[in-house]
Amino acid sequence: MKIAYISTSLPTECGIATFNANLFLAINQHKTVSNDSFVVALSDSEELKAYNYPPEVKYIIRQNNQKDYLRAADYVNTSQVDACIIEHEFGIYGGESGLYVLSLMARINKPIITILHTVLKQPSYVQQTIIQQIAKRSAKIVVMSQKAIGFLTSIYNIPKSKIKYIEHGVADLEPPTTNPIKNAYPFKDKKVLFTFGLISRNKGLETAISALPEIIKQHPDSIYVVLGNTHPGVVKNVGEEYRDSLKRLARKLDVEKHLVFVNKFVDEKELHHYLSAADIYITPYLNEAQITSGTLSYAVGAGAAVISTPYWHAQELLSNNRGLLFDFQDSQQLATLVNDLFAHPSKLNQLKYNAYRYGLSLRWPNIGKNYIAVLQEAIQETERASLQGKPIIDADSMPTFNLSHVKRLTDDTGIVQHAKYGIPNLKEGYCLDDNARALIMALMAFKQYKSREALELLPVYLSYIQYMQREDGNFRNFLSFDRNYLDEVGSEDSFGRTIWSLGYLINHAPNNSYKEFATELFLKSVPHFSQLQHLRGVTNTIIGLYHYLVINPHHVEMMTEMQQLVDPLVKAYENNSNKQWQWFEQQLTYDNALLPLALLCHYQITKEEKSFTIAKKTLDFLTEKTLGKGYLNPVGNNGWLKKNEPMALYDQQAIETMAMVLVYFKAYEITKELKYMHHLYQSYQWFLGENSLNLPLYDHETKGCADGLQALGVNRNQGAESTLAYLISHLVVFKALEIEYKYLADDNKIKEDILEN
């Protein structure tokens, strides 16, 4: 096996860098592992030569340079590695909460094993999303405590089958027969309490210092040694303020002569000497939220007698009398435990023996073998999956259809158009566009799942549409929360979307009452079709007419209305397109996919080849512009895509994605070309994180959808437009899944017939 490791690297003074260096050596000692394995180092400097890295570092990622992550992924992909190990800690990657790691993982096409050094019990939305996306893109996730497994399954909804438990490795060293530390200052002739690691306030060193007066009363030869530099981030922000405060505390308690700081970063051999020379090792962390502690593992591995606060990792590692626990910030309890051990050497020696015996299983050669087994399993599973092939649509990866957020947004008037996060924003009232979309979604949900919830919502949205129709057949759009009209005439877009929804209801009505009501509203609006000037209003109306004509194919007047709407769309294409620019306008803006969708609908009704040809050319053009990178990049609304200019990448809107899903479904329905099924599912995956930021917009908690993808993340508001766009897309994908199952069944039958004959 040839393996790529992505991590911070020595000489960076970082626990993860040390961990990865040890893991690299432990795995590379195995005969099945190639000597060509290498490290991609994460650097906190913009200077590529800032650190004198060891020879195994072949590539450098500057933490805050997003392009470096993409280049590093390409380097890994072209290096003929069999698998990739990624060390994960939020602080070592760039972007909000280390968001850039997702760009890296999305681009790597090798099996990935991710080692999580931190698993938070109360993550922010972004942190939770990052871990979920890491799990999605990893063949295996490795954690170092049982508590972490519980968090990943219950908080992050990660399948237990994907998680592997491998404890933190420790140095493969025996206590030295002659220890230079033991016979040197400050250890010589002292009872030594010891703590090591990067110093910061969460370490709780003040608790240990506060325990010293009681300890010194009974054991005046005691001394507390703190080994390690102040954390670089702390030094950068506040300098040595914390260390100085600890010195002041020691002077106040009159124990400054019993406190020694050794300000340096030591290698593992020297650290082992310190641990072997100490009498008691202390980790006085301030709270339980420490899922993995490398320093604690090293102490146990070195056979130290450990006293610790009961943070998560300590509870596990020090069980079965491998160490002692005291309450957070309880210096009195700590002093009592220390004095008891010093007074009873047999207890102290028993703790050391128990730790040493357990530490044998934690030594890096043993841990390396465990990682090799995980690597082999991940590689084999990936190979089997590639041999078996995957269905185009992976139903197991899709969230369960859920109307919770739609119901939250809907009252007896209609669906509220906006939300603050997942909470309805009643101040901004209702709009016709969203109630028209909601009507379509409810009909689709009833048809797909026979959903009684959806059926109960249907009359709410239909009655809103009826309430907004004027006497002349046109429609208002906006309504305040207290049911006052906010406009006299809505936009052509809202008009067209309403005609689409009414046509869809006529085509798919659950009973005659709904069909007759929708037909009445639809026919009343027809005189306004000829007044439409804007292409989006025209295309939405064409789609509504398509649905009407499916159920009323001999209605000649409606056929004429459709043709009169299609003509300007065709003319727009002829006036604006050329060989390089296959489009209806001089720019791509919003709801782009609806334009070819309208022509495909026209073709289905009339079999007019010209409509089909234009639809296919413009759809291919749109595909080239937005799916060229292997995932959907909808045209951003901050500048659009103007002819002969670069495309605006952000903000990306959910309705763009819905339109893409709908047009690809229609294209497959007509042509039976599987590429459209692939494109349909690729587009839908935008909602679930297959996008330029690798962030999902669908919220598994609220069952809503974020209002857009922005340059720095997702818009966390979850209004009706985006949520309905997601749900309609979901329903279309499941409709496509039925077709795929039929296709696969037919394909298997053909194969069976060939074998029989």
Side-chain angles (χ1 to χ4, degrees):
M1 289 186 294
K2 182 178 178 181
I3 304 161
Y5 301 76
I6 300 176
S7 172
T8 52
S9 173
L10 298 174
T12 305
E13 295 180 3
C14 163
I16 292 177
T18 303
F19 178 96
N20 194 70
N22 286 322
L23 181 63
F24 182 90
L25 291 173
I27 291 177
N28 274 28
Q29 288 174 3
H30 201 275
K31 62 184 180 181
T32 63
V33 177
S34 168
N35 290 328
D36 293 329
S37 297
F38 61 88
V39 174
V40 175
L42 287 149
S43 172
D44 57 4
S45 173
E46 281 299 304
E47 296 295 325
L48 290 173
K49 296 182 179 180
Y51 295 103
N52 184 24
Y53 287 119
E56 62 265 21
V57 173
K58 303 299 183 185
Y59 204 88
I60 299 169
I61 297 174
R62 291 165 292 184
Q63 183 183 44
N64 295 309
N65 190 319
Q66 195 167 13
K67 289 183 179 178
D68 281 2
Y69 292 83
L70 304 179
R71 296 186 189 113
D74 293 339
Y75 182 83
V76 170
N77 290 336
T78 57
S79 298
Q80 296 182 319
V81 300
D82 297 291
C84 183
I85 291 177
I86 293 181
E87 309 284 357
H88 182 264
E89 170 68 62
F90 289 109
I92 66 176
Y93 296 96
E96 183 184 355
S97 297
L99 191 64
Y100 291 173
V101 69
L102 299 183
S103 300
L104 174 73
M105 297 182 73
R107 198 147 177 162
I108 292 174
N109 58 22
K110 307 292 182 179
I112 296 174
I113 289 83
T114 302
I115 303 169
L116 298 181
H117 289 264
T118 297
V119 181
L120 300 174
K121 185 179 182 181
Q122 294 179 312
S124 69
Y125 174 81
V126 172
Q127 289 167 336
Q128 182 176 16
T129 299
I130 288 171
I131 296 299
Q132 289 171 332
Q133 290 297 301
I134 285 173
K136 178 181 176 181
R137 300 178 190 282
S138 300
K140 298 293 177 185
I141 293 288
V142 175
V143 294
M144 297 174 236
S145 71
Q146 294 289 351
K147 178 77 76 172
I149 297 175
F151 287 172
L152 290 178
T153 54
S154 63
I155 299 169
Y156 299 84
N157 299 311
I158 295 170
K160 195 170 184 179
S161 59
K162 184 167 273 195
I163 306 168
K164 294 292 183 180
Y165 169 57
I166 302 177
E167 291 192 79
H168 196 297
V170 302
D172 187 22
L173 297 170
E174 292 295 330
T177 53
T178 303
N179 191 338
I181 300 295
K182 187 69 176 174
N183 295 313
Y185 175 82
F187 283 70
K188 186 175 175 61
D189 300 325
K190 298 291 184 181
K191 289 185 173 66
V192 179
L193 309 173
F194 182 59
T195 294
F196 83 92
L198 292 173
I199 296 174
S200 60
R201 283 199 173 274
N202 63 328
K203 302 299 183 181
L205 301 181
E206 59 273 19
T207 304
I209 293 170
S210 298
L212 288 177
E214 286 299 315
I215 295 170
I216 292 164
K217 280 182 186 178
Q218 297 187 31
H219 303 282
D221 55 345
S222 298
I223 192 165
Y224 182 36
V225 178
V226 179
L227 169 65
N229 294 324
T230 300
H231 193 286
V234 174
V235 173
K236 183 178 179 181
N237 293 318
V238 295
E240 293 290 353
E241 184 271 338
Y242 180 53
R243 190 190 296 266
D244 292 342
S245 73
L246 296 173
K247 291 177 181 178
R248 288 196 300 271
L249 176 62
R251 285 195 296 272
K252 179 181 178 181
L253 297 174
D254 197 24
V255 294
E256 68 269 26
K257 293 181 181 179
H258 298 266
L259 173 65
V260 176
F261 287 103
V262 182
N263 305 348
K264 66 177 182 178
F265 184 83
V266 298
D267 62 26
E268 281 200 334
K269 186 174 181 180
E270 188 175 0
L271 174 60
H272 199 267
H273 286 160
Y274 272 98
L275 287 165
S276 300
D279 294 285
I280 297 173
Y281 180 77
I282 300 173
T283 52
Y285 297 164
L286 293 177
N287 60 67
E288 65 179 2
Q290 181 86 13
I291 206 76
T292 304
S293 171
T295 58
L296 182 67
S297 297
Y298 287 138
V300 169
V306 180
I307 303 178
S308 174
T309 49
Y311 55 90
W312 294 323
H313 194 200
Q315 291 176 34
E316 291 185 24
L317 192 54
L318 301 183
S319 61
N320 297 320
N321 202 33
R322 293 191 289 267
L324 300 177
L325 300 176
F326 69 99
D327 293 335
F328 296 108
Q329 302 183 54
D330 193 336
S331 57
Q332 182 61 52
Q333 189 181 10
L334 172 59
T336 300
L337 291 173
V338 169
N339 285 331
D340 184 59
L341 289 180
F342 281 160
H344 300 90
S346 61
K347 288 185 180 180
L348 184 64
N349 291 332
Q350 186 65 52
L351 282 182
K352 289 184 175 183
Y353 177 77
N354 293 346
Y356 172 80
R357 293 298 302 170
Y358 191 76
L360 293 175
S361 66
L362 304 182
R363 294 191 178 186
W364 276 114
N366 295 325
I367 296 299
K369 291 177 183 176
N370 292 336
Y371 275 97
I372 287 168
V374 173
L375 284 162
Q376 290 172 335
E377 183 180 346
I379 292 168
Q380 289 167 4
E381 286 181 0
T382 303
E383 288 174 348
R384 280 197 299 270
S386 64
L387 288 172
Q388 292 170 354
K390 289 185 176 180
I392 297 171
I393 297 171
D394 180 9
D396 292 337
S397 71
M398 296 173 64
T400 303
F401 184 80
N402 191 300
L403 289 173
S404 297
H405 191 52
V406 167
K407 290 168 66 179
R408 194 178 301 122
L409 292 172
T410 302
D411 59 20
D412 58 356
T413 298
I415 191 165
V416 175
Q417 62 176 326
H418 293 139
K420 292 293 289 182
Y421 299 95
I423 307 303
N425 185 357
L426 303 180
K427 292 179 180 180
E428 298 186 17
Y430 317 84
C431 71
L432 187 62
D433 298 81
D434 289 335
N435 281 274
R437 289 189 193 96
L439 180 65
I440 293 171
M441 184 282 299
L443 284 162
M444 292 175 71
F446 179 68
K447 187 176 180 184
Q448 183 73 36
Y449 296 116
K450 296 295 182 268
S451 167
R452 304 304 301 179
E453 284 183 317
L455 190 62
E456 289 168 4
L457 291 171
L458 217 165
V460 177
Y461 307 135
L462 184 55
S463 66
Y464 180 89
I465 292 171
Q466 188 267 342
Y467 187 66
M468 300 303 280
Q469 188 170 41
R470 292 159 45 103
E471 286 301 315
D472 65 358
N474 208 335
F475 295 92
R476 295 179 173 89
N477 190 3
F478 298 110
L479 189 72
S480 68
F481 183 63
D482 58 2
R483 297 185 180 180
N484 287 317
Y485 295 125
L486 298 178
D487 55 7
E488 284 302 314
V489 178
S491 66
E492 289 190 10
D493 285 8
S494 64
F495 178 89
R497 290 184 185 116
T498 305
I499 299 307
W500 180 351
S501 69
L502 292 172
Y504 193 85
L505 177 54
I506 293 166
N507 191 7
H508 299 286
N511 58 48
N512 281 329
S513 176
Y514 283 116
K515 182 179 177 180
E516 290 167 3
F517 189 22
T519 301
E520 181 181 311
L521 299 178
F522 185 96
L523 294 177
K524 189 175 180 180
S525 69
V526 171
H528 298 277
F529 291 4
S530 61
Q531 299 172 28
L532 296 171
Q533 300 294 317
H534 301 289
L535 290 187
R536 271 64 181 180
V538 167
T539 53
N540 279 284
T541 304
I542 291 170
I543 298 167
L545 276 164
Y546 157 78
H547 285 290
Y548 179 88
L549 288 166
V550 167
I551 207 76
N552 299 290
H554 305 299
H555 196 148
V556 177
E557 290 178 4
M558 288 302 144
M559 193 74 75
T560 302
E561 292 285 350
M562 176 183 260
Q563 189 61 53
Q564 288 175 347
L565 290 169
V566 167
D567 288 342
L569 188 57
V570 170
K571 187 176 181 181
Y573 169 78
E574 292 172 342
N575 290 342
N576 289 284
S577 64
N578 57 38
K579 190 173 182 181
Q580 288 74 38
W581 184 261
Q582 293 288 313
W583 198 243
F584 304 87
E585 300 164 306
Q586 292 296 297
Q587 62 179 348
L588 290 163
T589 56
Y590 66 97
D591 264 351
N592 296 301
L594 296 188
L595 278 65
L597 174 59
L599 290 180
L600 290 174
C601 288
H602 179 244
Y603 169 76
Q604 273 195 305
I605 293 294
T606 65
K607 303 305 177 189
E608 172 59 59
E609 286 294 334
K610 190 173 187 179
S611 289
F612 177 75
T613 301
I614 296 172
K616 194 170 187 307
K617 285 181 179 180
T618 53
L619 181 54
D620 288 346
F621 178 74
L622 186 58
T623 301
E624 175 194 336
K625 296 298 183 185
T626 60
L627 270 173
K629 294 185 177 181
Y631 54 85
L632 183 65
N633 248 336
V635 176
N637 64 15
N638 188 20
W640 308 118
L641 172 55
K642 297 180 175 66
K643 192 174 183 179
N644 301 323
E645 292 184 16
M647 184 175 91
L649 190 55
Y650 300 107
D651 295 354
Q652 299 175 15
Q653 303 294 311
I655 56 168
E656 293 301 306
T657 303
M658 178 190 79
M660 296 295 280
V661 170
L662 288 166
V663 75
Y664 287 130
F665 181 82
K666 181 61 69 177
Y668 176 78
E669 191 177 43
I670 292 171
T671 68
K672 300 299 186 290
E673 292 182 31
L674 281 176
K675 70 175 182 179
Y676 293 121
M677 189 79 82
H678 282 284
H679 293 336
L680 177 152
Y681 189 59
Q682 274 182 309
S683 299
Y684 166 77
Q685 287 285 95
W686 179 87
F687 290 107
L688 304 184
E690 298 293 331
N691 51 51
S692 56
L693 293 184
N694 303 289
L695 284 175
L697 287 90
Y698 179 74
D699 189 330
H700 291 267
E701 283 187 355
T702 65
K703 316 305 180 188
C705 178
D707 277 351
L709 194 67
Q710 301 171 327
L712 299 177
V714 299
N715 181 338
R716 291 280 288 121
N717 295 332
Q718 298 170 15
E721 178 183 286
S722 54
T723 296
L724 292 167
Y726 167 77
L727 292 172
I728 288 171
S729 299
H730 177 104
L731 289 161
V732 172
V733 170
F734 264 87
K735 184 66 178 175
L737 190 61
E738 293 176 7
I739 297 173
E740 186 186 4
Y741 283 150
K742 184 178 185 304
Y743 171 85
L744 292 172
D746 291 345
D747 189 47
N748 290 333
K749 188 175 187 305
I750 291 168
K751 290 176 182 177
E752 290 171 6
D753 291 343
I754 291 171
L755 290 172
E756 287 176 5
N757 295 323

